[in-house]
Amino acid sequence: MNYLSTRGAGAGERHTFSDILLGGLAKDGGLYLPAQYPRVSADELTRWRTLPYADLAFEILSKFSDDIPVEDLRALTRKTYTAETYCHVRDDGEADRLAAQITPLKTLGVENGAPLSLLELSNGPTLAFKDMAMQLIGNLFEYTLDKHGETLNILGATSGDTGSAAEYAMRGKKGIRVFMLSPHKKMSAFQTAQMYSLQDPNIFNLAVEGVFDDAQDIVKAVSNDHAFKAKYKIGTVNSINWARVVAQVVYYFKGYFAATKSNDERVSFTVPSGNFGNVCAGHIARMMGLPIEKLVVATNENDVLDEFFRTGIYRVRKAAETYHTSSPSMDISKASNFERFVFDLLGRDPARVLQLFRDVEEKGGFDLAASGDFARVKEFGFVSGSSNHDTRVETIRDVFQRYDTMIDTHTADGLKVAREHLQSGIPMIVLETAQPIKFGETIREALLREPERPAAFTGLESLPQRFEVVPADAQRVKDFIAANTGA
Ligand SMILES: *Cc1c(COP(=O)(O)O)cnc(C)c1O
């Protein structure tokens, strides 16, 4: 499998899965995609229907990574997707059986003739869907580094979900350290405790005196110091990482099998979206031949993507125009994986992708409304909608009353938008992206009660915490990294 950049540089060069695993952007600023999507045959689909999650992940990944020996890849997926890791299911009666499914499908009911269900992606260590891919990345990184006798220092900034998913994926991994910057005293008590209570010696939490943007600016400043970056082997695990996207393809297949009895049926998915990483994986599953009817993109008040799918206009927002909402993991000003879809939409024309994303940088966006390409959005199955605080709270309340099920704020945005796109006879699967305990304030507002807390998280906030407070100063962060890498 060869990989190419959406902007066309290095066409004719060979990039394997392992080559791009540890990297980020292609050198022309584009994103990597496979030279063509592998197709799944009817026979394969039939054979995959009954596979356990880890083996399904192996089958799908092996189509994208032909340079990792198959036995190694199988061992990596089996080590990653275990019932012990995905044990935080909330249905006490049959918790073990559900955990073994890794991503159990929870049926809600039938609305407008469409069976409606939630695909639980948030039973992993940090109770958010990012664990699904990040846990695999942790094992892939460790494996690849070990093979080449290398080490890696991961530097990141987080306002919550991504940072904790990265830390739980990398804790205790040989050859890897994590330096995670978070805004001091700005995260919820639960999220702070999740990260800061980690005592693993390879995990470093840096509480930056400032807001999330200050932390992000420090990461950019350090990454732009190429000498420092090379000397200290600095890397990232952001959402454009190809291995993260491909790991997410797996649960679309798993969800499809759980919601259907035969491969003649079609289903739709609704995906709470921010950086377009999760739904990009759905697009790839569809391109591989999974019978997906619609991919519904659900946004919150930050409706950059909804605007595009409704109008053909892609207009990124300035930081000051980005709302801080009660579904904060979708508070984005531009969608960093969107370029992958645009590449396919434009018939894989790298020159046009380059021009459009130059326009994003220089003019703040582009307009495809008048072009024939926008009409093709429907051929790719995409539709969209958005939610806001009031509809979010209302949806959490309604689902709790009607189905006795507590959902988090991001999943609520998904469900609200899913209901606008139901088709009789076609199952609608809403991806559940986090558990309610992570966003307790809104649950209390909606339901006047405490969010459900998985048993393993009892007393989390009173565990001892390990973190370092640093000023919003890139040099101080560099000094800290230098002092703690033994280089
Ligand atoms: C990251 C995240 C999202 C958005 O996913 P993208 O891949 O960025 O579109 C949605 N919900 C939750 C809970 C998240 O953590």
Side-chain angles (χ1 to χ4, degrees):
M1 173 68 61
N2 191 23
Y3 287 84
L4 40 76
S5 164
T6 50
R7 299 191 190 179
E13 288 173 17
R14 209 174 145 66
H15 298 284
T16 66
F17 183 80
S18 301
D19 291 337
I20 64 170
L21 181 62
L22 299 177
L25 292 173
K27 59 179 181 256
D28 58 354
L31 304 183
Y32 284 112
L33 272 180
Q36 66 277 318
Y37 294 118
R39 295 284 302 182
V40 177
S41 69
D43 284 352
E44 274 174 318
L45 214 52
T46 303
R47 194 164 53 77
W48 290 1
R49 184 167 271 280
T50 50
L51 289 182
Y53 194 96
D55 293 347
L56 180 63
F58 164 75
E59 295 290 344
I60 292 172
L61 274 142
S62 61
K63 287 189 172 284
F64 291 94
S65 95
D66 46 16
D67 61 336
I68 297 179
V70 288
E71 282 323 308
D72 293 356
L73 191 60
R74 191 184 287 281
L76 286 166
T77 58
R78 286 194 176 161
K79 180 176 167 187
T80 303
Y81 298 111
T82 67
E84 291 70 47
T85 305
Y86 295 89
C87 63
H88 304 302
V89 289
R90 285 162 291 150
D91 192 328
D92 293 338
E94 34 171 14
D96 290 346
R97 190 181 68 79
L98 292 175
Q101 295 176 20
I102 311 296
T103 59
L105 188 75
K106 179 169 191 137
T107 304
L108 294 179
V110 177
E111 294 187 15
N112 293 347
L116 183 63
S117 56
L118 298 174
L119 186 64
E120 294 182 23
L121 305 179
S122 55
N123 296 325
T126 74
L127 310 181
F129 93 97
K130 292 190 173 65
D131 289 329
M132 294 304 305
M134 208 74 92
Q135 288 286 318
L136 181 71
I137 294 277
N139 287 325
L140 277 171
F141 275 19
E142 183 179 52
Y143 168 83
T144 308
L145 291 166
D146 181 54
K147 225 173 161 177
H148 299 115
E150 288 168 7
T151 61
L152 181 69
N153 292 308
I154 292 170
L155 175 65
T158 188
S159 52
D161 282 353
T162 312
S164 56
E167 291 187 353
Y168 281 77
M170 307 297 165
R171 62 188 297 202
K173 293 277 183 283
K174 286 191 294 290
I176 304 179
R177 293 187 194 85
V178 177
F179 296 89
M180 191 57 67
L181 278 50
S182 49
H184 188 36
K185 296 187 175 162
K186 299 277 190 320
M187 296 185 296
S188 73
F190 185 87
Q191 283 192 316
T192 307
Q194 261 191 319
M195 291 176 55
Y196 294 3
S197 65
L198 285 179
Q199 302 295 332
D200 307 74
N202 70 327
I203 304 295
F204 299 92
N205 280 301
L206 296 172
V208 176
E209 292 174 317
V211 295
F212 170 70
D213 290 327
D214 296 312
Q216 181 94 318
D217 287 345
I218 294 176
V219 171
K220 282 187 196 146
V222 175
S223 300
N224 285 333
D225 181 342
H226 298 290
F228 183 89
K229 200 176 162 193
K231 179 170 179 198
Y232 291 101
K233 304 186 168 34
I234 303 291
T236 53
V237 278
N238 46 31
S239 78
I240 59 160
N241 181 283
W242 168 249
R244 269 182 78 179
V245 175
V246 79
Q248 293 170 174
V249 170
V250 180
Y251 49 70
Y252 285 88
F253 280 84
K254 195 72 183 160
Y256 173 78
F257 294 136
T260 58
K261 291 204 170 60
S262 95
N263 300 338
D264 301 329
E265 296 171 57
R266 301 180 76 74
V267 305
S268 293
F269 287 93
T270 300
V271 189
S273 297
N275 274 317
F276 205 79
N278 195 350
V279 73
C280 186
H283 164 66
I284 292 165
R286 196 169 180 279
M287 298 300 277
M288 292 172 72
L290 189 67
I292 297 178
E293 180 70 22
K294 278 185 187 161
L295 285 165
V296 185
V297 176
T299 72
N300 63 17
E301 292 90 326
N302 297 291
D303 59 353
V304 184
L305 289 167
D306 177 40
E307 182 173 71
F308 174 78
F309 285 107
R310 276 186 298 105
T311 67
I313 297 171
Y314 184 61
R315 182 174 59 90
V316 304
R317 313 294 199 254
K318 299 190 179 68
E321 294 171 329
T322 306
Y323 300 103
H324 292 282
T325 74
S326 43
S327 46
S329 300
M330 296 163 27
D331 292 349
I332 54 99
S333 53
K334 60 179 167 196
S336 56
N337 276 289
F338 187 52
E339 187 170 331
R340 289 193 159 110
F341 172 67
V342 172
F343 183 65
D344 287 341
L345 183 67
L346 300 181
R348 303 200 136 206
D349 179 344
R352 285 191 63 207
V353 172
L354 176 66
Q355 185 55 51
L356 289 183
F357 282 88
R358 264 203 198 129
D359 289 349
V360 170
E361 271 152 42
E362 289 161 14
K363 302 179 200 155
F366 54 75
D367 182 353
L368 293 182
S371 82
D373 302 302
F374 183 60
R376 296 187 64 215
V377 157
K378 284 204 184 64
E379 288 169 36
F380 286 97
F382 275 91
V383 290
S384 72
S386 70
S387 186
N388 60 43
H389 185 74
D390 290 345
T391 54
R392 185 173 303 133
V393 166
E394 179 49 38
T395 305
I396 292 171
R397 211 175 275 146
D398 174 77
V399 169
F400 190 69
Q401 282 163 2
R402 202 188 298 214
Y403 299 119
D404 194 23
T405 296
M406 204 184 272
I407 55 173
D408 99 290
T409 52
H410 306 76
T411 309
D413 290 345
L415 205 79
K416 185 262 177 189
V417 176
R419 283 174 158 163
E420 296 162 2
H421 295 281
L422 298 172
Q423 290 167 284
S424 183
I426 298 186
M428 172 63 82
I429 301 173
V430 178
L431 300 191
E432 186 207 48
T433 56
Q435 293 208 17
I437 180 77
K438 298 196 82 170
F439 305 97
E441 200 182 322
T442 309
I443 300 297
R444 282 186 285 273
E445 179 187 339
L447 304 178
L448 305 174
R449 62 161 73 203
E450 289 299 312
E452 291 159 355
R453 179 183 287 252
F457 293 82
T458 309
L460 175 75
E461 291 90 334
S462 44
L463 293 175
Q465 299 192 352
R466 177 172 157 268
F467 62 99
E468 189 88 15
V469 181
V470 292
D473 176 352
Q475 188 55 47
R476 295 286 289 273
V477 171
K478 285 186 198 171
D479 293 345
F480 184 89
I481 294 172
N484 286 283
T485 48

